Amino acid sequence: MLGITDLSTYLVGLALIILLPGPNSLYVVSVAARRGPRVAYRAAAGVLCGDTVLMTLSAGGVASLLQTSPVLFAVVKFAGAGYLTWLAAGMLRGAWALWHGRQDRQDPAADRAPRTPKEAVERPYRRALVVSLLNPKAILFFISFFVQFVDPSYAHPVLSFLTLGAWAQLFSLTYLSVLIFSGTYLAATFRRRRRLTAGLSAGAGAAFLGFAAKLSLASAG
């Protein structure tokens, strides 16, 4: 069908890959817990748009360029690792302030307080998009994974890539939606437990540092 071989195996593998935790999904959960589902879907849109760009670049041969140009791969790799580290630092600072903050700790009205200017300019769509784009391994993954399910004798391989990409985006949107509403539920449950929230934020920041370290050690091979 449309030059795709063994679609059922592709869908199983795709589901397993999407379920693996990564910086994008973790960021979407973080936004959902702090800002609610409406804002979290902006972050999800950034993830989906970023993945669409990476899939397009993969189909266009950029993966081969990254593999043959160590310098270009290193530039993108360290830029992505640096951005993840910057995001992690912000999460850890926020967790520290929340842990040691004393105001409104027991005040239910604190949950209705207006957002600070820093929160208002977070721009979750842009952050999620940048995290997606500054990941050269994702480009290499898309081309190496997709090509296994494309019939080389099919006359229109681009159509095959588009179909595989559409399935990937459908799975991603479903998974991110589950994460968004789970994050919102957890936020409502633990809203008044400031220190628990601070601990979760710190854990997310530490995980982002781990993602940054993993990306900085990645190779094109």
Side-chain angles (χ1 to χ4, degrees):
M1 181 182 68
L2 299 177
I4 299 174
T5 62
D6 203 356
L7 178 61
S8 59
T9 300
Y10 168 75
L11 295 178
V12 172
L14 184 64
L16 293 175
I17 291 167
I18 289 177
L19 288 174
L20 292 174
N24 280 332
S25 58
L26 187 60
Y27 179 65
V28 171
V29 171
S30 173
V31 174
R34 291 181 289 108
R35 308 282 297 276
R38 183 174 181 179
V39 179
Y41 267 110
R42 298 180 196 170
V47 173
L48 296 176
C49 289
D51 285 348
T52 298
V53 171
L54 294 184
M55 292 176 194
T56 304
L57 293 175
S58 299
V62 173
S64 299
L65 179 61
L66 287 174
Q67 286 180 314
T68 57
S69 176
V71 174
L72 178 60
F73 183 87
V75 169
V76 178
K77 176 180 70 173
F78 287 114
Y83 189 71
L84 288 176
T85 301
W86 179 74
L87 290 179
M91 290 180 178
L92 292 173
R93 285 196 304 269
W96 179 268
L98 189 59
W99 182 271
H100 292 279
R102 297 179 179 176
Q103 60 183 7
D104 300 328
R105 190 171 290 174
Q106 301 297 330
D107 184 4
D111 296 326
R112 300 189 297 271
R115 293 194 301 268
T116 63
K118 184 176 181 180
E119 287 179 305
V121 298
E122 182 178 354
R123 298 187 181 93
Y125 171 85
R126 187 178 68 179
R127 284 195 176 187
L129 179 65
V130 173
V131 169
S132 293
L133 295 179
L134 291 179
N135 185 1
K137 294 296 286 186
I139 300 178
L140 299 178
F141 162 76
F142 280 129
I143 191 67
S144 62
F145 183 65
F146 282 9
V147 74
Q148 299 177 53
F149 301 95
V150 175
D151 185 354
S153 63
Y154 187 63
H156 306 287
V158 173
L159 185 58
S160 303
F161 272 90
L162 289 175
T163 304
L164 293 173
W167 275 110
Q169 294 293 60
L170 178 61
F171 275 45
S172 292
L173 178 59
T174 302
Y175 178 56
L176 291 175
S177 295
V178 172
L179 293 180
I180 286 171
F181 287 102
S182 297
T184 304
Y185 172 77
L186 291 175
T189 303
F190 300 112
R191 184 172 291 131
R192 293 178 178 82
R193 298 185 178 183
R194 304 278 179 166
R195 291 203 167 189
L196 178 58
T197 303
L200 293 175
S201 297
F208 265 64
L209 287 177
F211 291 133
K214 183 179 179 180
L215 181 57
S216 65
L217 296 175
S219 64

